[in-house]
Amino acid sequence: MNFGGTIRVMFEKLTFTLPLHSVLKTYRRAYLQRDIIAGATVAAVAVPQAMAYAQLAGVNLTAGLYAAMVAMVVFAVISSSRYVIMGPDAAMAALAGAAVIPMAGGDADRAIALVAVLAFFIGLISIISVIARIGFVAEFLSRPILLGYMAGLALVVIATQLPKLFGIEAPANTNFIGSVAYLFANLGHAHGATVVLSLVAIAIAVLLMKGFRRLPVSLILLIFGTLFSWFFDFSNMGIAVIGDIPTGLPVPDLPSIELYDLQNLIIPAMAMMLIAYANTIANARTYAAKKKESVNSDQEFIGLGISNIASGLYGGMPVSASSVRTAVNYTSRAKTQVSQLFGALCIGIVLVALSPLLKYLPIALLAVIIVLAVTPLFNYKELKSIWHAWRSEALLAIITMVGVATLGIYQGLLLAVLLAVLNMLRKSAFPNDAILGVAADGSVRDMSRPPKTREIPGLKIYRFDAPLYFGNANYFRHRVLQIVDESPEQIHWFLWDAETITAIDSTSGQMLLGLIDELRSRKVAFAVARMKGSIRTIVHKTHRLNSALQHSPHYTSIGDAIEAYREEYKVPREHDA
């Protein structure tokens, strides 16, 4: 290692750096005030959210605070992004709860151990994914699919918190429909004082968010809710409170669980890694683009992995980039990653000095904080925008949302990945294509789009906007024959504009052989224009296809092909002008 510059550790072609080292070497005193303010502001949001997400994951509140503090320190050291804040978030908490709560069987200590190991596994799988170069799998979670998944997740989380708002003991683990049905079946057991407290908290939160958007509303609810609970003794009124929680800073520890539990955590860890990476890299790229900067995807992935490993070792929960806290860090005008260090310091102060007071916090208020935190996951504006331009992708988002809400969180994630893959296959199997015509200025354009174009009599010009492979070879053949069959006049040449073809496989090669023969039997010549050099190289290696295309008209430009056709069939220009 070279401590005189950026520290680098090489894994073959992988370069791992510690950007904070360079940041500190060039750090200016003028940055300090902005980083302190941004860090404190982020902590004001992170503390109540981390506690709420810990409850959502089924562990004690300090696990969320440990994770937030440790992850912010680690990610500040490793991340190439100035703004991304690492810590517990709604998706990771809900996924962790879905995996761990049924396994824990109501044992709090066992739940803490399982969640810590789950975080460790997520980190380990992240590191392996970077080294093995398989992080691209997360790219299959397209933006619309993620929107639908997050919206469905928000529905599930809100539904699971509703019983707590009514003072009803919530079921251990269920989906949206099950939670809503459980609530209506048990409304007769609602606790009046808890319902009033929940309604007042929601009303205050809504008013504050509308009138004072920059206020840390969750922190205000946390502080005043705890103080009022202590002063008026809410627990004696029957309002459920958190109770005693550990005090002090986290220390590294290796939780002890059985081998059978380890096996059951592998698949959830892999699924959560995909969500965490997709969310982290999306946040990093978004805020880097705002400042015309760049981020290293591998670097962020490694940061995600080591942050989760550290969180697990220190008794925390799984972490990911937090969209809310990242936005707060950005709008607070943080200058460098140092803002995360100050944020972690503030969380450490809370753990050391204020933990004893948190035992008075009403559970209903934590439920309100969770509901407020996940509500922004319903990104209606972006979904509406996608609906106008890409209707099929918006439908996939809606289907994913319904699937998550009805089937379950992990089943919904599997559905989301499956839909993403199927959508990709559908687009490649049935790609856009176009019949081309000649415009008044002589340019060759898609006839379905302006400006107005006309066909040359007896000539069809066709473009297929995708690589040719086994999945769409038959569709290509079907479209060519359909165009020939539906032509009102005799076709002499079928001219294939092959410029958009970037690949060709053996199945499509055989298809082209059969298609050329079939068109020849109909007295239609199969002509080719603008075939790429890489495709010509492949064709030259296939004797039969090369021979068939050599006997077909072949040109380097569409203009040359059209001129050759005009000369052969004596077609004057006025017919296509």
Side-chain angles (χ1 to χ4, degrees), residues 17 88 107 153 155 172 229 308 348 378 381 385 442 477-479:
T17 68
D107 186 335
L153 191 66
L155 284 175
S229 176
N308 272 286
F378 293 101
K381 290 184 178 179
S385 175
R477 176 182 177 277
H478 166 74
R479 287 290 293 135

Side-chain angles (χ1 to χ4, degrees), residues 16-58:
F16 167 44
T17 68
L18 299 182
L20 186 64
H21 182 263
S22 297
V23 168
L24 292 178
K25 284 182 65 176
T26 59
Y27 198 78
R28 299 178 185 178
R29 184 176 297 179
Y31 296 167
L32 189 60
Q33 181 181 4
R34 294 270 30 118
D35 281 342
I36 291 175
I37 293 173
T41 306
V42 167
V45 177
V47 168
Q49 286 191 349
M51 294 169 61
Y53 294 150
Q55 187 193 46
L56 185 59

Side-chain angles (χ1 to χ4, degrees), residues 485-516:
D485 290 339
E486 292 178 355
S487 175
E489 60 182 2
Q490 174 63 38
I491 301 298
H492 301 301
W493 274 24
F494 188 94
L495 177 59
W496 175 31
D497 177 11
E499 186 185 35
T500 54
I501 305 300
T502 56
I504 185 171
D505 68 357
S506 59
T507 302
S508 52
Q510 290 295 319
M511 177 275 297
L512 288 173
L513 278 173
L515 180 61
I516 292 170

Side-chain angles (χ1 to χ4, degrees), residues 112-249:
I112 293 171
L114 288 170
V115 165
V117 172
L118 181 61
F120 184 88
F121 275 179
I122 292 169
L124 188 61
I125 294 170
S126 297
I127 301 299
I128 294 172
S129 298
V130 179
I131 297 172
R133 299 289 184 181
I134 57 176
F136 70 91
V137 175
E139 303 293 345
F140 281 95
L141 294 174
S142 64
R143 182 61 185 168
I145 295 280
L146 278 175
L147 283 175
Y149 182 77
M150 291 301 177
L153 191 66
L155 284 175
V156 173
V157 170
I158 291 172
T160 59
Q161 298 306 303
L162 286 177
K164 299 175 185 177
L165 301 181
F166 287 83
I168 301 170
E169 185 176 350
N173 191 38
T174 185
N175 59 17
F176 174 78
I177 295 176
S179 295
V180 173
Y182 174 86
L183 174 64
F184 280 105
N186 290 274
L187 275 178
H189 299 99
H191 186 259
T194 304
V195 174
V196 172
L197 175 65
S198 300
L199 291 176
V200 170
I202 293 172
I204 291 173
V206 171
L207 290 174
L208 289 177
M209 286 189 295
K210 284 188 175 182
F212 308 92
R213 295 188 177 183
R214 297 182 68 88
L215 280 179
V217 175
S218 295
L219 183 64
I220 292 172
L221 291 179
L222 177 68
I223 293 172
F224 283 95
T226 301
L227 291 176
F228 274 91
S229 176
W230 167 73
F231 187 79
F232 292 105
D233 199 3
F234 280 2
S235 60
N236 276 341
M237 298 182 187
I239 299 175
V241 296
I242 294 299
D244 292 330
I245 60 175
T247 302
L249 296 175

Side-chain angles (χ1 to χ4, degrees), residues 413-431:
L413 178 59
L414 179 62
L415 175 66
V417 175
L418 179 62
L419 287 176
V421 173
L422 289 177
N423 191 40
M424 181 188 68
L425 293 176
R426 178 188 65 82
K427 289 181 177 180
S428 65
F430 303 100

Side-chain angles (χ1 to χ4, degrees), residues 57-374:
V59 293
N60 65 48
L61 306 190
T62 52
L65 295 174
Y66 292 166
M69 184 181 72
V70 172
M72 287 172 72
V73 172
V74 172
F75 204 68
V77 174
I78 299 173
S79 175
S80 60
S81 170
R82 289 193 288 157
Y83 302 109
V84 174
I85 300 294
M86 187 65 59
D89 79 326
M92 297 296 277
L95 288 165
V100 167
I101 291 174
M103 294 173 61
D107 186 335
D109 292 335
R110 179 170 160 77
I112 293 171
L114 288 170
V115 165
V117 172
L118 181 61
F120 184 88
F121 275 179
I122 292 169
L124 188 61
I125 294 170
S126 297
I127 301 299
I128 294 172
S129 298
V130 179
I131 297 172
R133 299 289 184 181
I134 57 176
F136 70 91
V137 175
E139 303 293 345
F140 281 95
L141 294 174
S142 64
R143 182 61 185 168
I145 295 280
L146 278 175
L147 283 175
Y149 182 77
M150 291 301 177
L153 191 66
L155 284 175
V156 173
V157 170
I158 291 172
T160 59
Q161 298 306 303
L162 286 177
K164 299 175 185 177
L165 301 181
F166 287 83
I168 301 170
E169 185 176 350
N173 191 38
T174 185
N175 59 17
F176 174 78
I177 295 176
S179 295
V180 173
Y182 174 86
L183 174 64
F184 280 105
N186 290 274
L187 275 178
H189 299 99
H191 186 259
T194 304
V195 174
V196 172
L197 175 65
S198 300
L199 291 176
V200 170
I202 293 172
I204 291 173
V206 171
L207 290 174
L208 289 177
M209 286 189 295
K210 284 188 175 182
F212 308 92
R213 295 188 177 183
R214 297 182 68 88
L215 280 179
V217 175
S218 295
L219 183 64
I220 292 172
L221 291 179
L222 177 68
I223 293 172
F224 283 95
T226 301
L227 291 176
F228 274 91
S229 176
W230 167 73
F231 187 79
F232 292 105
D233 199 3
F234 280 2
S235 60
N236 276 341
M237 298 182 187
I239 299 175
V241 296
I242 294 299
D244 292 330
I245 60 175
T247 302
L249 296 175
V251 293
D253 184 30
L254 291 176
S256 176
I257 61 175
E258 298 176 0
L259 179 62
Y260 179 76
D261 293 326
L262 295 177
Q263 295 173 343
N264 288 337
L265 290 175
I266 292 292
I267 299 301
M270 294 175 66
M272 292 176 70
M273 181 273 290
L274 290 176
I275 291 293
Y277 175 64
N279 186 38
T280 299
I281 196 60
N283 275 281
R285 288 171 179 168
T286 297
Y287 288 95
K290 289 178 183 290
K291 291 294 185 178
K292 297 182 180 179
E293 299 171 347
S294 62
V295 292
N296 185 324
S297 298
D298 286 341
Q299 186 77 27
E300 304 307 301
F301 210 167
I302 292 172
L304 171 69
I306 298 179
S307 296
N308 272 286
I309 289 174
S311 178
L313 289 177
Y314 279 87
M317 55 188 289
V319 296
S320 173
S322 168
S323 301
V324 173
R325 276 162 267 155
T326 300
V328 169
N329 196 37
Y330 178 80
T331 56
S332 298
R333 296 187 292 167
K335 290 295 184 180
T336 67
Q337 294 93 322
V338 173
S339 66
Q340 295 199 56
L341 300 180
F342 285 112
L345 177 62
C346 292
I347 296 174
I349 293 172
V350 171
L351 281 166
V352 171
L354 302 179
S355 290
L357 291 175
L358 295 177
K359 68 180 181 180
Y360 298 104
L361 176 64
I363 291 176
L365 281 188
L366 268 184
V368 172
I369 291 171
I370 292 175
V371 171
L372 293 177
V374 301

